[in-house]
Amino acid sequence: MKRLYELMMMTGACMLMACQGAQVPTAFDQLNTQPDIYPDYVGVTVPVNMAPLHFQLKDKYDEVVTRLTAGDEQLVLGGQQVRPEQDDWQDLVDEALKGDSISVEVFTRMGEKWQRHAPFGIYVSPDSIDPWLTYRLISPSYVTYEELTINQRCLENYEERVIYDNMLCSTELNGQCINCHYSQLGNPQRTQFHARQNMGGTMLNIDGKLRKVNLKTDSTLSAGVYPAWHPQLNIIAYSTNNTMQSFHTLDVDKIEVLDAQSDLILYDPETDEVGVIENDENEFETFPCWTPDGRWLYYSSAHFEYRDTADRDAECIMRYKEIKYNVYRKPFDPATRTFGPREMVFAADTLGLSATLPRISPDGRFLLLAVGEWGTFHIWHRDADLWIMDLKTGEIGPFQEVNSPSVESFHNWSTNGRWIVISSRRDDGNFTRPFFAHVDENGHATKPFELPTDDPNYHREFMKSYNVPEFMRGPVAVKPQDFADALKKPAVQAKYGGRK
């Protein structure tokens, strides 16, 4: 056993030396095509503080040597996987900031013949990205949902932590489901998420103090579902939703998630008062979003009049293609905490489309939307794309620079407004992964790049989706068990405070 261990150690040492001591071949044939790599980092732009981009060649070769160059810095690595270390990557990034890009040259050998693929660049932006990202990890199952977590990942390296584990409060007979995590402007000291079913309630983390609240009252449709924390005030707008799912038998999209009813409410954590913002019985109001100055509330709403009130769920399912959401906004007075009449922002239904998830850039200039042919849950719609609207000119259209042939379903702005995160299924059509793109002051974006991982093959083997990615300015410090302990306590009952 000792001899075997020594041989293993020697083999590992030799492999390390081979990787670190790789040499660029002096004789090779020049190819006109760039290497086929995964993830696709060819020509992408990355923030100055992003973790190293690790990638691998899709095709197998007898030997691979990769040279990364920026200014006076050069790094030569061997192997099918290209995995620069943090310090080496930062040296390249620092040099790239002085010039243009990190140049990547890949040399491959089959038999005795070396080839040099056409080089490509990785561009570095001086605009930093928020250092943390939160998301829910969930299996793409239509039945099982209990084995899920809310996680946080440091974008500056590969560190990942669990914020809350759904199984901490689930039992064999009573399951729990968590969803809709959110923060106030990426503040890790002000976060919230919902727990449904067993020990259900809205879990608030306000400056390190945990509270579980039941937002359902006799005068509101449900507990809070999709949240929007006011950028300055300690108040939260929610949609309340009667959500259901159905399954297609002929359509390529196999599942449909629908709201049979939905309204908007406003919650004050200091008084535990809930008030109605919008509750038109012929409108499905959902997905609230504040403007950066806190004076407007944007949201999506679909006009839908039931013909048969006996079984609304069944009628909603039968007429699902008629459900098309437009984007509206309502003025808000922070002094009186009251709203004015709604205004149309984008009449998507006139184009035969449905627009959801309004998100406004921190400078107030641009509005990002998820747009599909119908419905509210575009994550299940292969036709779903992102659209961008210039709120200064009113111009709107598909955000072609970031869209793909597959699903784009969720999106958020970084706090400095220079980066967006996109939920996309462009890799395989089944699993949602976070992609990032730089957006300049004129609304032009760079090629999206996938969340970097230490092992570049990680996402090919990881059978969970990243759900609702949100930028964070730091990590949530509350431990998962502390959240679980708070969830096991009785919920504070919110009281109804009338119309806002």
Side-chain angles (χ1 to χ4, degrees), residues 287 300 323-327 346-359 367-389 396-399 403-404 406-411 423:
F287 296 130
S300 297
I323 303 175
K324 299 178 185 291
Y325 287 78
N326 297 319
V327 178
F346 175 42
D349 62 349
T350 63
L351 302 177
L353 298 172
S354 180
T356 65
L357 290 167
R359 293 290 186 270
L367 172 66
L368 273 185
L369 300 165
V371 177
E373 291 185 17
W374 63 76
T376 180
F377 251 63
H378 290 317
I379 194 170
W380 298 113
H381 298 162
R382 299 186 186 214
D383 66 293
D385 280 330
L386 296 189
W387 283 41
I388 187 168
M389 182 178 191
I396 188 171
F399 206 174
N403 288 327
S404 74
S406 192
V407 182
E408 270 69 58
S409 62
F410 191 83
H411 46 275
S423 293

Side-chain angles (χ1 to χ4, degrees), residues 314-486:
E315 182 178 347
C316 198
I317 291 171
M318 293 298 295
R319 297 172 58 196
Y320 70 95
K321 285 192 176 183
E322 299 177 31
I323 303 175
K324 299 178 185 291
Y325 287 78
N326 297 319
V327 178
Y328 297 88
R329 68 176 188 173
K330 291 173 70 72
F332 177 71
D333 185 345
T336 61
R337 299 191 178 185
T338 56
F339 294 87
R342 76 174 187 177
E343 301 176 6
M344 176 71 78
V345 176
F346 175 42
D349 62 349
T350 63
L351 302 177
L353 298 172
S354 180
T356 65
L357 290 167
R359 293 290 186 270
I360 299 170
S361 60
D363 62 2
R365 172 77 183 272
F366 298 104
L367 172 66
L368 273 185
L369 300 165
V371 177
E373 291 185 17
W374 63 76
T376 180
F377 251 63
H378 290 317
I379 194 170
W380 298 113
H381 298 162
R382 299 186 186 214
D383 66 293
D385 280 330
L386 296 189
W387 283 41
I388 187 168
M389 182 178 191
D390 188 332
L391 294 175
K392 183 178 180 180
T393 65
E395 183 179 357
I396 188 171
F399 206 174
Q400 302 287 16
E401 296 158 318
V402 302
N403 288 327
S404 74
S406 192
V407 182
E408 270 69 58
S409 62
F410 191 83
H411 46 275
N412 260 308
W413 295 89
S414 64
T415 54
N416 65 5
R418 294 280 72 91
W419 298 93
I420 56 173
V421 60
I422 305 164
S423 293
S424 180
R425 293 187 174 178
R426 65 187 67 196
D427 269 354
D428 54 25
N430 293 311
F431 295 96
T432 309
R433 311 292 187 212
F435 285 75
F436 304 90
H438 184 270
V439 181
D440 66 19
E441 62 276 8
N442 296 314
H444 298 299
T446 57
K447 176 182 176 179
F449 66 93
E450 189 170 345
L451 173 70
T453 54
D454 188 18
D455 180 356
N457 201 49
Y458 178 76
H459 281 150
R460 283 180 163 181
E461 301 173 347
F462 187 57
M463 301 292 105
K464 288 189 176 181
S465 288
Y466 293 72
N467 181 255
V468 192
E470 298 271 359
F471 285 111
M472 297 284 284
R473 290 182 277 126
V476 176
V478 179
K479 297 178 181 179
Q481 190 58 56
D482 292 337
F483 278 124
D485 291 342

Side-chain angles (χ1 to χ4, degrees), residues 42-63:
V42 175
V44 300
T45 298
V46 299
V48 64
N49 60 327
M50 179 60 73
L53 301 191
H54 291 181
F55 60 89
Q56 62 188 19
L57 273 70
K58 290 184 178 180
D59 298 322
K60 298 294 184 182
Y61 298 94
D62 291 338
E63 192 174 355

Side-chain angles (χ1 to χ4, degrees), residues 121-159:
I122 296 175
Y123 302 89
V124 179
S125 168
D127 295 322
S128 62
I129 199 167
D130 293 293
W132 288 82
L133 189 75
T134 66
Y135 40 83
R136 188 172 64 152
L137 290 180
I138 184 170
S139 300
S141 169
Y142 306 136
V143 179
T144 302
Y145 57 81
E146 290 182 15
E147 190 180 336
L148 58 88
T149 58
I150 297 176
N151 284 29
Q152 53 189 343
R153 159 73 192 273
C154 181
L155 297 180
E156 298 178 338
N157 52 49
Y158 309 112
E159 179 184 357

